[in-house]
């Protein structure tokens, strides 16, 4: 199953350009940011799934990051489920960062603690 | 002026009531009592109506169209049962907007743009400048306002369309924005009796293999065609809708006019694919959820 998910992720890492509920000009499509932290909240909601995580720096300071993704159906289509991640889980998130440097991004993929990779959805998968 | 119609309706109701009472009671004495009551009611109604009529300075002032006030609802059995020619196609289905199928027309925008009037041009350019700075510009839809027409048609969520003999209902999953296109032969509703709306007042008819839909009476507040291009209360859309690829593709050519904001016709053709493997889900725009999304929070937006 894990291999299947990885295969799905490999084939479905596509541009997340068409969230369409709002403008996406604030995200830098040419960059990716990777952060690892503890999930504060996983909102399996429409119009957008979102993940809030707390990232602890080496000096001990913490930063809350906000990642937004596609709709529930779009995420379900590429393997996500309501229970894919839970508050308290340690995850690594990859996303297109806000241009203004604040701790927020458009989700590209999530790497779970067991190594499972779940890509975000976009475009045709709404 | 607008009080005359209810007064007449009241008189009509009194007449019908009188007839019903007459039939039930079947008594000459009681009938004469009813007639006396009717005369009193009519006199009272006239007393109310006359000052309103005499207060009108323009005898030719427009009146509510009786055809609209008396229009049977699109779901009334009477209206649904009227004989009509078989429509050339049935739009019933879920239609998905496809960025990939619309690369040649601006995708979420409507290129080429028309020649914008100065005020609209200034807003459009401010929107372009904001985008270069990584800011959304008056992105009211992101702040939970309705997208309205035409933007509600190009959201990347399914558009659930149900075609009846009298009406086509389109529900965009995102925020459940609805448009009702009446195809039962009625005229546009008089703005005196129907307020402006984000989807507009839409009247459709068939011409050959094409559904022609004209939409008017739009609400201009927080309503944009695309980033930085607003609409006025003179905005109008004529759509030419066709089914292509053996019913797998819906094509809609928008002809948009707004003499306040641009010159001439703004024409753009969009395409959707039939998306059978889907149903709608609830997708409200909620302020608390919006507030924690980086794209819709205050810092990412110029309001």
């Amino acid at each position: 199953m894990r291999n299947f998910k990885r295969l799905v992720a490999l084939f479905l890492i596509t541009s997340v350009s068409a969230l369409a509920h709002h403008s996406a000009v604030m995200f830098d499509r040419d960059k990716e940011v990777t952060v690892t932290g503890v999930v504060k909240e996983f909102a399996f909601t429409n119009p957008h799934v979102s993940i809030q995580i707390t990232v602890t720096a080496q000096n001990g300071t913490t930063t809350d990051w906000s990642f937004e993704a596609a709709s529930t159906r779009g995420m379900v289509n590429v393997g996500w489920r309501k229970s894919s991640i839970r508050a308290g889980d340690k995850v690594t998130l990859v996303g297109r960062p806000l241009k203004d440097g604040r701790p927020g991004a458009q989700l590209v993929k999530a790497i779970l603690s067991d190594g499972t990779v779940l890509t975000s959805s976009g475009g045709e998968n709404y | 002026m607008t009080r005359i119609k209810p007064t007449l309706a009241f008189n009509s109701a009194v007449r019908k009531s009188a007839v019903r009472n007459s039939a039930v009671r079947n008594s000459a004495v009681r009938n004469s009592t009813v007639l006396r009551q009717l005369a009193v009611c009519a006199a009272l109604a006239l007393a109310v109506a006359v000052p309103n009529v005499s207060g009108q300075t323009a005898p030719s002032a427009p009146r509510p169209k009786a055809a609209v006030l008396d229009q049977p609802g699109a779901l009334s059995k009477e209206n649904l049962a009227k004989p009509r020619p078989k429509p050339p196609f049935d739009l019933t289905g879920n239609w998905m907007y496809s960025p990939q199928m619309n690369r040649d027309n601006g995708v979420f925008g409507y290129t080429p743009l028309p020649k914008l009037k100065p005020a609209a041009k200034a807003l459009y350019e401010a929107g372009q400048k904001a985008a270069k700075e990584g800011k959304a510009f008056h992105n009211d839809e992101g702040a939970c306002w309705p997208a309205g027409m035409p933007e509600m048609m190009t959201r990347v969520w399914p558009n659930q369309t149900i075609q009846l003999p009298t009406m086509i209902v389109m529900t965009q999953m995102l925020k459940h924005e609805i448009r009702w296109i009446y195809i039962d032969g009625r005229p546009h509703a008089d703005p005196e009796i129907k307020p402006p709306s984000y989807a507009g007042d839409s009247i459709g008819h068939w011409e050959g293999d094409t559904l022609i839909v004209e939409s008017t009476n739009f609400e201009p507040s927080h309503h944009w065609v695309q980033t930085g291009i607003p609409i006025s209360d003179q905005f109008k859309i004529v759509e030419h809708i066709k089914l292509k690829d053996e019913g797998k593709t819906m094509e809609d050519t928008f002809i948009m006019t707004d003499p306040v904001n641009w010159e001439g016709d703004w024409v753009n053709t969009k395409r959707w694919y039939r998306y059978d493997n889907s149903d709608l889900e609830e997708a409200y725009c909620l302020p608390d959820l919006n507030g924690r999304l980086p794209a819709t929070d205050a810092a990412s937006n110029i309001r």
Side-chain angles (χ1 to χ4, degrees):
Chain A
M1 185 61 187
R2 184 183 296 177
N3 285 338
F4 174 72
K5 284 183 179 174
R6 283 176 174 159
L7 198 64
V8 168
L10 275 173
F11 278 98
L12 292 173
I13 293 176
T14 54
S15 85
V16 187
S17 60
L19 296 176
H21 158 227
H22 51 67
S23 170
V25 295
M26 62 291 298
F27 298 116
D28 191 338
R29 297 189 61 193
D30 299 324
K31 288 184 184 168
E32 282 191 353
V33 62
T34 301
V35 295
T36 299
V38 176
V39 175
K40 195 173 176 182
E41 183 186 29
F42 174 51
F44 187 70
T45 52
N46 281 319
H48 296 290
V49 170
S50 64
I51 309 169
Q52 318 294 323
I53 68 167
T54 301
V55 177
T56 304
Q58 284 184 339
N59 64 8
T61 59
T62 60
T63 305
D64 286 343
W65 278 75
S66 177
F67 281 74
E68 66 176 87
S71 67
T72 54
R73 177 63 185 267
M75 299 293 271
V76 165
N77 283 350
V78 293
W80 289 76
R81 297 293 182 266
K82 184 180 179 181
S83 60
S84 290
I85 56 177
R86 293 186 172 92
D89 286 356
K90 187 178 179 185
V91 296
T92 295
L93 301 180
V94 179
R96 298 187 173 85
L98 285 168
K99 289 175 182 171
D100 64 9
R102 291 181 300 129
Q106 194 177 46
L107 185 69
V108 173
K109 63 181 174 180
I111 303 159
L112 311 188
S113 55
D114 66 357
T116 302
V117 177
L118 288 172
T119 182
S120 185
S121 171
E124 298 293 282
N125 292 307
Y126 71 97
Chain B
M1 176 189 69
T2 53
R3 292 179 193 168
I4 293 172
K5 188 70 184 177
T7 304
L8 292 174
F10 172 65
N11 279 340
S12 169
V14 170
R15 277 197 301 273
K16 285 175 184 169
S17 171
V19 170
R20 275 199 304 275
N21 288 341
S22 170
V24 171
R25 294 173 184 172
N26 195 22
S27 158
V29 174
R30 283 178 180 169
N31 275 349
S32 93
T33 303
V34 168
L35 287 172
R36 276 200 302 277
Q37 288 171 344
L38 177 61
V40 170
C41 288
L44 284 172
L46 194 61
V48 171
V50 166
N52 290 328
V53 172
S54 63
Q56 296 296 321
T57 53
S60 60
R63 293 161 184 260
K65 295 169 189 164
V68 174
L69 291 174
D70 299 338
Q71 171 67 45
L75 297 182
S76 74
K77 289 183 179 176
E78 167 200 354
N79 199 355
L80 285 165
K82 277 185 188 168
R84 295 182 169 88
K86 187 175 186 295
F89 54 76
D90 184 351
L91 281 175
T92 298
N94 282 345
W95 298 98
M96 189 67 163
Y97 188 68
S98 163
Q100 282 73 8
M101 291 167 72
N102 289 280
R103 291 288 182 218
D104 61 339
N105 57 35
V107 189
F108 301 118
Y110 297 81
T111 54
L113 299 181
K115 185 175 181 189
L116 298 172
K117 299 282 180 76
K121 188 167 185 243
L123 274 171
Y124 174 72
E125 287 172 351
Q128 296 298 105
K129 180 171 175 284
K132 282 181 187 160
E133 294 166 357
K135 303 278 187 189
F137 181 75
H138 290 290
N139 185 208
D140 289 322
E141 197 207 351
C144 301
W145 289 86
M149 281 294 290
E151 200 178 34
M152 63 178 283
M153 295 292 286
T154 60
R155 306 300 82 192
V156 190
W157 275 267
N159 172 344
Q160 184 185 70
T161 300
I162 299 170
Q163 181 172 321
L164 300 169
T166 52
M167 170 175 70
I168 296 168
V169 185
M170 291 184 169
T171 305
Q172 162 56 238
M173 178 175 147
L174 180 59
K175 295 186 279 194
H176 326 125
E177 287 191 49
I178 294 183
R179 55 186 309 218
W180 298 276
I181 301 168
Y182 298 108
I183 53 173
D184 55 0
R186 72 178 70 185
H188 278 294
D190 190 329
E192 287 284 338
I193 60 167
K194 184 175 178 180
S197 60
Y198 286 87
D201 183 58
S202 297
I203 302 297
H205 70 276
W206 305 97
E207 287 185 13
D209 65 348
T210 305
L211 173 66
I212 312 285
V213 180
E214 182 183 88
S215 300
T216 58
N217 196 13
F218 287 98
E219 170 57 62
S221 176
H222 297 267
H223 193 166
W224 307 85
V225 178
Q226 65 178 71
T227 301
I229 304 183
I231 67 157
S232 76
D233 60 3
Q234 295 177 50
F235 183 53
K236 186 173 97 170
I237 308 176
V238 175
E239 295 166 82
H240 291 226
I241 301 173
K242 294 175 186 287
L243 279 190
K244 297 199 161 179
D245 305 330
E246 298 174 335
K248 293 176 188 162
T249 300
M250 178 171 74
E251 186 181 274
D252 190 348
T253 297
F254 296 84
I255 304 164
M256 301 183 283
T257 52
D258 186 344
V260 173
N261 288 305
W262 60 85
E263 294 180 6
D265 293 343
W266 185 358
V267 182
N268 194 283
T269 299
K270 303 290 191 196
R271 298 168 205 99
W272 297 254
Y273 66 90
R274 184 178 284 280
Y275 190 37
D276 284 331
N277 189 22
S278 71
D279 288 303
L280 297 199
E281 296 169 7
E282 194 171 279
Y284 288 111
C285 184
L286 301 174
D288 63 339
L289 177 61
N290 246 22
R292 64 190 176 201
L293 295 178
T296 51
D297 64 14
S300 295
N301 283 266
I302 295 172
R303 303 265 187 229

